[in-house]
Amino acid sequence: MTAEQRRNLHAFGDYVRKTLDPTHILSYMAPWFRDGYSGLYEAIESWDFQKIEKLEEHRALLRRLQPVFKTRVNPKDILPDISECLIDQECEEIIQVCSNKGLMAGAEKMVECLLRSDKENWPKTLKLALEKEESVFSELWTVEQGAKGVETKDLGDEEIETSEIQIFYKEEPEYQNLSQNSSPPSEVAPLKIRNYQLELALPAKEGKNTIICAPTGCGKTLVSLLICEHHLKKFPQGRKGKVVFFAIHLPLYEQQKSVFSQYFERRGYKVAGISGATSENVVVDQIVENNDIIILTPQILVNSLKDGTIPSLSVFTLMMFDECHNTSKHHPYNMIMFNYLDQKLGGSSDPLPQVVGLTASVGVGDAKNRDEAMEHICKLCASLDASVISTVKDNLQELTEVVYKPEKNFRKVESRTTDGFKCIISQLMRETESLAKSIFDELGAVTPENLSRFQNRDFGTQKYEQWIIAVQKACIVFQLPDKAEESRICKALYLYTSHLRKYNDALIISEHARMKDALDYLKDFFNNVRAAGFDETEQDLTRRFEEKLPELESVSMDPSNENPKLKDLCFILQEEYHLNPETRTILFVKTRALVDALKKWIEENPKLSFLKPGILTGRGKTTNNTGMTLPAQKCALDAFRTNGDNKILIATSVADEGIDIAQCNLVILYEYVGNVIKMIQTRGRGRAKGSKCFLLTSNADVIEKEKMNMYKEKMMNDSILSLQAWDEAIFKEKVCQIQIHEKSIRDSQGKAKPVLDKKNKKLLCRKCKAFACYTADIRVVEECHYTVVGNAFRECFVCRSHPKPKIFGSFEKKAKIYCAREDCSHDWGICVKYKTFEIPVIKIESFVVEDIATRVQTLYAKWRDFNFEKIPFDAAEMSN
């Protein structure tokens, strides 16, 4: 259909509607509906539009977020993952708009198509696509989503919420451990073992629970192979060991699985792996039973212990934790060790596996002195039940020949004395803030908290960006009686804050790079805005920017405004390459925008263009900033390693733990600093002899923070030496005391229950506010499901056959239940046959809870959040 045909149909649609009888044409349209609009086809077949109606809240949210969507989402990146929710013609239109008008216009077209989508899973599909691309927009697109691979006890009806505590699950960032040791694992054998590696492995080979703490790049994977092989060989005939190796990050899991498989399968051992990406297709207990070595992402075992698939940790004889310093709080590593320690301290006679942890740094937490640092390390040892901390002491000379500690230099430089660019951009930001503030002045007293605090903000800071994100999140839940007015206000706020965010980004680029790069960043943004919807608000904001553009061009081209930090960076690079023309450099910066800006600066600087910079960034993507895929990251590193012309790699923090380039001999931290663990890992990137590390900053606090990290590193090493001097029996006793104390805290927290609200309350339909039942009539079935007793409730709902009836355990799902009011029909839950009873099972998110005395109404998303007196279901009560 052409644009003109579409306009005409829209203009004369009433005549078509008045003339056509749908019943006469429906049968002809059915095949077309089935292929393109399966959701609508299903609804018409059953004359049940509940699924399509349920999408309305997501459509309303997407309409509200549209200004942010088009500035933060690259439609080309997520289209392959959401294409199943659109029809083919829509996908082609989106691609065409992206090519002809730009990414912003393409994102607008994608929103338009999604708003029409009749696929009930499109909100979740969009969420998964955004998370896969690590899009910042996923923070705002809030869709309830269960943990991958986590099975909860329910009735197979996704709308029913259980009261079971959900398992902690965090999808790990999917960046590759881009190790230099990624050569084919066939080269692992024969192993070239160094003396310091034998020293690190010795306590574990003696059967002791051990934390191995050694520098990045010293070959801890090889140490783990040594320990694992020794462990499996020690069992007598007729008995077998079983090893589980945990890797947190998915790419590292893949790498370790490959290394272990290639090394051990040739020696007659069976190796298998399970991660969140593969767990749905395998039977975990069978994999564990049928293999000698199992590589896991830790959440797999957490889930399997919880649901009983793996009855006990006693099925393993050795557990190895990579990056074991993560064993704290609610991390999956700690969840596994809670299970281990409960078994140990509970007096179980079942054997426990040996535990080995591997890390580059145990850290010191918030310690201010050596005693506090020792306490922190003891707590980590207690969490892993470790009796030994293994470090290199006898073979330090050999270790320093392999892992060089770069000389560290601090360079404090001055910022620009005057900053005309910042003055102009700050004025534009103040004007934009005033426009946003005028909306709040219209609203008066109903302004949501945190939205109207515009004064005393520092432009060009991360704190300012955090405030913008807070405003955008607050808009999601902001409500007014007039929904059209609510939508208008929220859309305007999103537009204003999106422009403020771009200005803030530009100030950060200008502060650390060239004004020219910051201005180019803004010009690209406004070009995209013009090519997209370009409503009145955007036109006004663009006009304001264009009025200042000549002045900004003039300021950015003025040589006197050159950034002093870049002068100093240029001097360092020239000096180092003069001393050693074969120097290989990694330049760490904070953001992808800075990566691009510094790359352009080096390429356009005649003194530095010979460096031919490469870049390495994370996978997160936005419209203006495309992240790197895993293959692109590998390609960038391979080029840096093998191409002699590629002399410098500009990288973000994605490279902290992933890069391992032995010939890199210069590391520059450009306004870049982190905690002590990050510092040790980053410094480990400069590995060639005589390597150097520079911290370049205009902020004295940054230098102080880095010096504090160096102090903490020394404090950590001194604390480890002190603990290693303790008698082993005394150290074990200290660890045991911590374990008992921590378990008592866990047990008391587990037993502590929130104060129950015993007052009787009403449940009202969330859509029409019709009375449904009292909380006194609610009963809990098998600890998870909520029903209502008494005949009065049955008058409040109607039943319709369930489209997917199923049997689950004691339950047979038979029907859906809806509010009985004809003008409402809100989905309340399902009707099931439980044993001999037919009972309704309701979901709390379908209702509003009203206090009978105060008339105050409260919304709950999950039953577990509603602390009323929960009475168990009693068959005898039903019989009476």
Side-chain angles (χ1 to χ4, degrees):
M1 183 182 288
T2 65
E4 185 180 1
Q5 287 172 327
R6 188 178 284 111
R7 281 196 300 273
N8 288 338
L9 188 58
H10 188 265
F12 304 111
D14 278 346
Y15 295 104
V16 177
R17 282 190 287 273
K18 288 172 184 174
T19 306
L20 281 178
D21 184 338
T23 59
H24 294 159
I25 63 169
L26 193 57
S27 60
Y28 296 101
M29 297 178 67
W32 179 70
F33 270 144
R34 193 185 302 118
D35 293 338
Y37 294 92
S38 55
L40 185 58
Y41 174 76
E42 184 184 323
I44 291 172
E45 282 285 286
S46 61
W47 295 111
D48 181 356
F49 283 77
Q50 291 295 318
K51 287 181 181 177
I52 291 178
E53 184 190 343
K54 280 177 64 179
L55 291 172
E56 194 50 46
E57 61 182 286
H58 300 296
R59 289 184 180 127
L61 179 59
L62 187 56
R63 285 189 199 98
R64 182 175 284 191
L65 293 174
Q66 191 237 32
V68 186
F69 186 97
K70 72 179 186 181
T71 61
R72 308 303 290 179
V73 175
N74 185 328
K76 287 169 137 182
D77 290 329
I78 66 169
L79 185 59
D81 294 309
I82 67 166
S83 58
E84 65 188 46
C85 301
L86 307 171
I87 62 174
D88 293 341
Q89 294 96 312
E90 289 174 330
C91 294
E92 289 168 12
E93 281 184 14
I94 291 167
I95 292 168
Q96 196 166 358
V97 171
C98 285
S99 300
N100 296 340
K101 295 188 175 181
L103 295 175
M104 271 198 191
E108 280 188 339
K109 171 57 73 174
M110 180 173 280
V111 169
E112 178 191 318
C113 295
L114 284 170
L115 290 173
R116 279 199 305 268
S117 177
D118 61 344
K119 310 300 187 293
E120 66 174 323
N121 66 329
W122 76 255
K124 285 188 179 179
T125 303
L126 176 60
K127 178 72 171 176
L128 291 170
L130 293 167
E131 288 180 344
K132 179 181 174 185
E133 297 301 329
E134 295 182 13
S135 167
V136 293
F137 184 79
S138 65
E139 294 177 23
L140 298 175
W141 186 244
T142 51
V143 179
E144 281 291 320
Q145 182 185 338
K148 211 186 285 184
V150 179
E151 290 187 13
T152 54
K153 182 183 179 185
D154 65 12
L155 300 179
D157 195 279
E158 62 196 11
E159 299 107 10
I160 296 300
E161 187 58 57
T162 73
S163 63
E164 185 176 6
I165 300 300
Q166 294 294 306
I167 296 169
F168 169 85
Y169 182 84
K170 182 173 183 292
E171 189 70 47
E172 293 298 331
E174 194 181 325
Y175 63 79
Q176 176 74 324
N177 183 324
L178 299 154
S179 170
Q180 187 183 11
N181 298 326
S182 57
S183 53
S186 58
E187 297 176 19
V188 173
L191 294 178
K192 183 183 176 183
I193 304 165
R194 294 185 170 91
N195 289 327
Y196 74 78
Q197 290 170 325
L198 290 171
E199 182 183 353
L200 287 170
L202 183 60
K205 287 171 74 174
E206 292 173 347
K208 296 174 182 176
N209 286 2
T210 307
I211 291 176
I212 294 170
C213 184
T216 305
C218 71
K220 288 190 288 294
T221 298
L222 181 53
V223 174
S224 65
L225 291 175
L226 280 174
I227 294 166
C228 188
E229 185 173 20
H230 180 272
H231 178 83
L232 292 171
K233 281 181 175 178
K234 76 176 184 180
F235 286 89
Q237 189 103 21
R239 287 187 61 208
K240 289 182 74 174
K242 194 174 293 291
V243 178
V244 59
F245 185 99
F246 299 110
I248 299 173
H249 305 304
L250 185 61
L252 184 56
Y253 154 84
E254 296 286 358
Q255 178 184 302
Q256 299 292 30
K257 180 186 167 191
S258 174
V259 170
F260 273 74
S261 296
Q262 297 273 353
Y263 181 77
F264 282 104
E265 284 176 355
R266 289 198 302 268
R267 288 159 173 77
Y269 295 104
K270 293 181 180 178
V271 181
I274 314 171
S275 69
T278 62
S279 61
E280 292 177 4
N281 307 317
V282 300
V283 181
V284 176
D285 55 339
Q286 288 184 13
I287 294 287
V288 170
E289 185 178 345
N290 296 333
N291 290 276
D292 303 300
I293 302 165
I294 304 97
I295 316 297
L296 294 179
T297 47
Q299 189 64 38
I300 299 298
L301 186 56
V302 173
N303 297 347
S304 298
L305 288 166
K306 188 176 192 325
D307 65 22
T309 304
I310 303 296
S312 159
L313 292 175
S314 297
V315 300
F316 303 110
T317 56
L318 172 63
M319 298 195 300
M320 306 189 80
F321 295 83
D322 200 19
E323 304 294 343
C324 70
H325 55 266
N326 289 292
T327 314
S328 65
K329 298 180 181 176
H330 295 288
H331 191 279
Y333 277 0
N334 226 16
M335 298 295 105
I336 292 166
M337 288 308 299
F338 286 166
N339 191 295
Y340 173 104
L341 292 169
D342 286 347
Q343 192 172 328
K344 173 189 172 181
L345 300 174
S348 170
S349 58
D350 294 334
L352 284 166
Q354 182 185 354
V355 178
V356 174
L358 303 144
T359 182
S361 170
V362 292
V364 295
D366 298 323
K368 303 292 189 297
N369 53 55
R370 189 189 295 187
D371 286 345
E372 291 178 5
M374 287 168 67
E375 190 66 24
H376 170 86
I377 296 167
C378 284
K379 283 185 177 179
L380 180 64
C381 290
S383 295
L384 287 160
D385 198 34
S387 59
V388 178
I389 304 168
S390 180
T391 58
V392 178
K393 292 194 286 186
D394 298 336
N395 297 280
L396 273 172
Q397 181 61 40
E398 184 188 39
L399 177 63
T400 55
E401 289 170 7
V402 176
V403 182
Y404 303 103
K405 185 173 181 178
E407 171 193 338
K408 192 140 199 176
N409 302 277
F410 298 102
R411 296 288 279 261
K412 169 78 167 64
V413 295
E414 298 305 316
S415 297
R416 296 182 181 94
T417 50
T418 58
D419 195 336
F421 184 88
K422 185 171 184 178
C423 289
I424 299 166
I425 296 297
S426 296
Q427 179 58 35
L428 284 167
M429 292 177 80
R430 280 190 288 271
E431 288 177 16
T432 309
E433 284 190 344
S434 295
L435 291 169
K437 195 169 186 302
S438 66
I439 293 177
F440 296 124
D441 293 340
E442 290 176 35
L443 293 173
V446 296
T447 304
E449 189 181 356
N450 294 327
L451 291 193
S452 55
R453 298 178 188 165
F454 289 100
Q455 64 279 9
N456 302 322
R457 298 208 168 275
D458 291 328
F459 297 143
T461 63
Q462 287 182 324
K463 279 189 176 179
Y464 191 86
E465 179 167 346
Q466 288 163 4
W467 169 75
I468 290 170
I469 293 169
V471 170
Q472 292 178 342
K473 285 184 175 178
C475 283
I476 295 172
V477 295
F478 176 55
Q479 293 183 326
L480 286 175
D482 184 338
K483 293 302 170 187
E485 181 69 358
E486 176 189 310
S487 179
R488 180 191 71 80
I489 286 169
C490 287
K491 183 177 179 182
L493 278 173
Y494 279 124
L495 284 173
Y496 291 139
T497 52
S498 294
H499 281 66
L500 286 169
R501 188 172 191 166
K502 291 296 175 182
Y503 284 137
N504 195 63
D505 289 345
L507 289 180
I508 293 172
I509 294 169
S510 173
E511 184 187 352
H512 301 312
R514 297 178 298 182
M515 292 177 180
K516 172 184 177 294
D517 301 313
L519 184 56
D520 287 345
Y521 178 82
L522 287 174
K523 288 199 288 192
D524 286 345
F525 169 69
F526 281 101
N527 285 337
N528 272 317
V529 169
R530 266 188 226 94
F534 210 43
D535 67 10
E536 285 184 21
T537 304
E538 289 172 311
Q539 289 171 31
D540 177 49
L541 291 169
T542 303
R543 178 187 57 76
R544 292 168 186 271
F545 171 72
E546 288 177 340
E547 284 175 359
K548 298 289 185 183
L549 190 54
E551 201 176 342
L552 287 166
E553 294 272 18
S554 174
V555 168
S556 65
M557 298 306 291
D558 186 342
S560 67
N561 287 323
E562 186 179 352
N563 197 326
K565 279 189 269 193
L566 293 182
K567 285 183 181 177
D568 209 51
L569 178 58
C570 182
F571 174 77
I572 290 170
L573 289 169
Q574 282 185 286
E575 188 177 60
E576 292 302 319
Y577 281 91
H578 174 72
L579 292 171
N580 178 9
E582 301 305 312
T583 291
R584 312 285 283 173
T585 304
I586 298 182
L587 173 61
F588 282 101
V589 299
K590 283 190 289 192
T591 67
R592 287 194 300 273
L594 270 178
V595 169
D596 295 334
L598 290 174
K599 181 175 186 287
K600 282 172 66 179
W601 169 68
I602 290 173
E603 289 172 337
E604 294 172 12
N605 189 324
K607 297 175 183 177
L608 300 175
S609 57
F610 73 95
L611 295 176
K612 298 193 181 332
I615 65 171
L616 184 71
T617 68
R619 300 183 65 245
K621 300 182 182 182
T622 65
T623 304
N624 298 75
N625 239 324
T626 303
M628 297 181 78
T629 62
L630 292 179
Q633 289 177 333
K634 284 182 178 178
C635 187
L637 274 175
D638 288 342
F640 185 55
R641 290 186 188 114
T642 58
N643 186 349
D645 293 338
N646 241 177
K647 296 180 184 297
I648 187 168
L649 186 70
I650 310 171
T652 57
S653 60
V654 69
D656 264 2
E657 300 184 35
I659 302 178
D660 185 6
I661 306 168
Q663 67 268 40
C664 168
N665 62 312
L666 178 61
V667 174
I668 300 177
L669 307 176
Y670 191 72
E671 297 284 8
Y672 183 94
V673 68
N675 59 31
V676 62
I677 292 175
K678 176 178 276 194
M679 180 194 140
I680 293 169
Q681 289 168 336
T682 305
R683 196 185 54 207
R685 301 307 137 210
R687 299 271 285 284
K689 204 160 190 175
S691 57
K692 297 177 185 176
C693 181
F694 286 91
L695 171 62
L696 184 64
T697 179
S698 58
N699 187 343
D701 291 341
V702 171
I703 292 176
E704 286 307 308
K705 187 172 182 181
E706 191 72 351
K707 286 181 177 177
M708 176 58 71
N709 284 339
M710 293 173 72
Y711 168 73
K712 285 187 172 183
E713 182 191 358
K714 182 178 184 306
M715 186 164 64
M716 179 191 78
N717 291 329
D718 291 344
S719 300
I720 290 173
L721 284 172
S722 296
L723 290 170
Q724 287 172 331
W726 284 22
D727 178 81
E728 194 170 322
I730 294 173
F731 185 72
K732 277 187 176 179
E733 179 60 29
K734 169 73 173 175
V735 163
C736 189
Q737 286 174 0
I738 294 172
Q739 289 172 343
I740 292 168
H741 176 67
E742 294 289 328
K743 178 170 168 53
S744 69
I745 293 173
R746 281 200 309 278
D747 291 346
S748 64
Q749 288 173 342
K751 289 169 187 172
K753 293 181 180 178
V755 177
L756 291 181
D757 186 346
K758 295 189 177 183
K759 293 178 184 175
N760 196 14
K761 290 180 166 54
K762 290 180 182 178
L763 261 64
L764 311 179
C765 175
R766 186 172 291 200
K767 185 176 177 184
C768 70
K769 299 296 177 73
F771 172 77
C773 67
Y774 291 102
T775 52
D777 297 325
I778 295 174
R779 301 291 182 267
V780 186
V781 186
E782 294 194 359
E783 298 185 357
C784 297
H785 313 294
Y786 293 77
T787 188
V788 182
V789 297
N791 292 325
F793 181 63
R794 295 183 179 273
E795 301 297 319
C796 299
F797 67 82
V798 293
C799 286
R800 294 180 197 151
S801 296
H802 201 290
K804 297 177 183 176
K806 290 181 183 177
I807 296 175
F808 290 90
S810 309
F811 300 89
E812 180 184 355
K813 184 166 55 175
K814 302 192 77 172
K816 298 277 293 175
I817 63 173
Y818 302 93
C819 177
R821 280 181 56 166
E822 289 184 11
D823 60 343
C824 179
S825 297
H826 188 47
D827 183 357
W828 282 5
I830 60 175
C831 187
V832 303
K833 185 174 182 181
Y834 175 64
K835 297 180 179 177
T836 60
F837 307 103
E838 287 205 2
I839 58 173
V841 176
I842 60 173
K843 49 185 180 178
I844 189 62
E845 62 265 36
S846 295
F847 301 93
V848 176
V849 178
E850 183 177 270
D851 188 291
I852 295 172
T854 64
R855 303 290 299 276
V856 171
Q857 295 182 352
T858 310
L859 303 177
Y860 294 100
K862 303 180 188 298
W863 282 108
R864 69 169 178 265
D865 299 331
F866 183 18
N867 294 316
F868 70 106
E869 189 171 17
K870 295 168 185 175
I871 304 168
F873 178 82
D874 184 358
E877 181 183 18
M878 293 295 290
S879 302
N880 295 334

